[in-house]
Amino acid sequence: MIKLDQFLKLLGIASTGGQAKLMIIDGNVKVNGTVETRRGRKLVETDTVTVAGKTVAVGDVVQ
């Protein structure tokens, strides 16, 4: 498992934890098609994350 804010940093979408937090709080991130505002949301391999129209499967990045 990985937290949503850590996942955004891992992907390079956010350069810092603070930037990731703002993206999430502003409603710019979807998990499994639903807006997620909890930066500590724990992701599992079957989740998908969408930011700026780009969707990434967590299992493709974290194993």
Side-chain angles (χ1 to χ4, degrees):
M1 279 195 287
I2 186 169
K3 291 183 182 178
L4 180 56
D5 59 347
Q6 294 172 335
F7 186 71
L8 295 178
K9 289 192 318 185
L10 178 67
L11 291 177
I13 294 172
S15 56
T16 65
Q19 184 182 20
K21 177 182 175 181
L22 290 176
M23 292 173 71
I24 296 165
I25 289 173
D26 288 344
N28 296 325
V29 180
K30 292 182 180 180
V31 176
N32 301 326
T34 304
V35 173
E36 181 58 67
T37 57
R38 298 173 293 166
R39 68 181 180 146
R41 160 78 185 262
K42 292 181 181 172
L43 302 173
V44 295
E45 289 185 16
T46 57
D47 288 332
T48 59
V49 176
T50 304
V51 181
K54 181 179 177 185
T55 301
V56 179
V58 174
D60 290 346
V61 179
V62 179
Q63 295 191 28

